[in-house]
């Protein structure tokens, strides 16, 4: 297994929007409900990896911990600052329960 970034096909500096977009694109093609019957088991395993990658990388705290565990450091501060700015400007009207990736 590669990194969670590789699972979603994104760079390590990907924004929350890029993470969400990659997840949705992969979910539409790999979800067990949309694949052929003979591919359901492998698709389910692949989809679970995709969902794990999304749930980890879309949560800023989980992502920071993952980066430390895998790469031995956090993302550069400039990337975190940009993410924080995007988070405050684009989250109006959104709720954590329904959209954890602001």
């Amino acid at each position: 297994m590669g990194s969670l970034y590789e699972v979603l096909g994104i760079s390590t500096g990907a924004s929350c929007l890029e993470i969400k977009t990659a997840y949705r694109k992969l979910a539409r093609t790999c979800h067990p409900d949309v694949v052929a019957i003979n591919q359901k088991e492998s698709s389910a395993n692949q989809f679970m990896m995709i969902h794990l990658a999304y749930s980890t990388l879309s949560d800023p705290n989980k992502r920071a911990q993952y980066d430390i565990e895998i790469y031995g450091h956090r993302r550069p501060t400039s990337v975190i600052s940009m993410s924080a700015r995007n988070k405050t400007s684009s989250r109006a009207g959104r709720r954590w329960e329904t959209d954890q990736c602001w």
Side-chain angles (χ1 to χ4, degrees):
M1 173 187 98
S3 74
L4 297 181
Y5 294 100
E6 291 172 354
V7 170
L8 293 180
I10 57 175
S11 70
T12 56
S15 69
C16 242
L17 181 60
E18 291 169 318
I19 293 168
K20 183 187 289 185
T21 302
Y23 170 74
R24 287 183 174 175
K25 181 179 176 182
L26 290 169
R28 281 193 298 270
T29 59
C30 298
H31 195 281
D33 290 345
V34 297
V35 298
I37 291 174
N38 62 345
Q39 297 176 338
K40 286 204 182 281
E41 188 174 330
S42 64
S43 175
N45 293 333
Q46 185 179 13
F47 184 75
M48 287 187 339
M49 282 303 306
I50 292 166
H51 183 70
L52 171 67
Y54 174 71
S55 66
T56 300
L57 299 178
S58 64
D59 181 296
N61 295 326
K62 289 181 184 178
R63 184 176 182 179
Q65 185 61 38
Y66 175 77
D67 288 345
I68 291 169
E69 290 172 7
I70 299 301
Y71 301 110
H73 58 81
R74 295 180 80 146
R75 290 180 292 155
T77 345
S78 60
V79 174
I80 294 172
S81 298
M82 287 173 31
S83 297
R85 270 184 266 143
N86 291 339
K87 182 186 294 187
T88 56
S89 65
S90 65
R91 70 175 185 178
R94 293 194 168 176
R95 301 182 59 173
W96 172 257
E97 297 86 11
T98 57
D99 194 359
Q100 62 182 337
C101 189
W102 294 327

